[in-house]
Amino acid sequence: MILDLLRHGETELGGGLRGSLDDALTERGWQQMHEAVVAGGPWDVLLSSPLQRCARFAEALAERLQLPVQLAPAWRELHFGAWEGRSAAHLMQTDAEALGRFWADPYSCTPPGGEPVAAFATRVHQALAALRQEHVGQRVLVVTHGGVMRLLLAQARGLPREQLLQVEVGHGALLRLDLDAFDQQAFKQQAFKQPGTPS
């Protein structure tokens, strides 16, 4: 199965930890996503996070491609709890120690009231496993979020968990994973690889 991941574009309320906040795309955000898919595809299956910064574009793309779109909550962004909507600069003034721990190892530090990264990883893994089972040999596009893409790219690259947030994923990024090239169990285990652990 070929899995393409498209991150939403720029949103109206800008930077910071958007998480579960349901921001709309800016005109530039729409443009970023349109430009990203010009050379992409063809796709057999289209899924999207239900948050409007992903879903509105996915619905427009589905109409153009004459494909059904499935809104799938498992592909939504990590929920940042009390940190949602706040920028790193603001958190450095109010919660610097916890933010530092989160950046150093997001699996070990959960934002207050937020979703543990391990739980987030589990739901993404389960969604990925379901896709692999249901769409063997197909090309799948998932319109999703930076956190989801960082998680899967970190896995694919065999990075230790502490480096999860060092993976760069820009607005409107379109990235491809050839899941047939990975052994499923090895791919899953890599997400939790400890520093110094061989690949």
Side-chain angles (χ1 to χ4, degrees), residues 165-185:
L165 298 179
Q166 295 177 29
V167 177
E168 294 287 335
V169 180
H171 284 127
L174 178 65
L175 302 168
R176 172 164 293 177
L177 292 177
D178 182 353
L179 298 183
D180 295 331
F182 295 97
D183 172 79
Q184 173 72 352
Q185 190 60 30

Side-chain angles (χ1 to χ4, degrees), residues 54-179:
C54 296
R56 296 295 83 80
F57 178 81
E59 289 162 352
L61 181 63
E63 184 174 350
R64 180 166 69 82
L65 299 178
Q66 298 186 342
L67 278 177
V69 60
Q70 178 184 345
L71 299 183
W75 295 99
R76 70 191 184 278
E77 182 62 283
L78 177 72
H79 177 62
F80 291 100
W83 291 359
E84 297 227 325
R86 299 171 69 187
S87 68
H90 184 257
L91 288 169
M92 283 299 293
Q93 297 175 356
T94 62
D95 210 355
E97 185 178 339
L99 181 65
R101 291 197 307 269
F102 179 72
W103 283 113
D105 183 1
Y107 285 88
S108 296
C109 180
T110 301
E115 178 181 18
V117 171
F120 168 68
T122 296
R123 72 169 159 87
V124 173
H125 293 155
Q126 290 173 344
L128 181 63
L131 279 187
R132 288 180 64 127
Q133 186 172 13
E134 295 168 17
H135 302 293
V136 175
Q138 293 185 302
R139 292 177 177 268
V140 178
L141 174 63
V142 176
V143 185
T144 186
H145 304 270
V148 172
M149 293 172 69
R150 286 185 186 94
L151 178 75
L152 294 179
L153 288 172
Q155 279 184 268
R157 296 171 184 172
L159 297 178
R161 68 184 205 171
E162 287 81 1
Q163 294 180 21
L164 173 64
L165 298 179
Q166 295 177 29
V167 177
E168 294 287 335
V169 180
H171 284 127
L174 178 65
L175 302 168
R176 172 164 293 177
L177 292 177
D178 182 353
L179 298 183

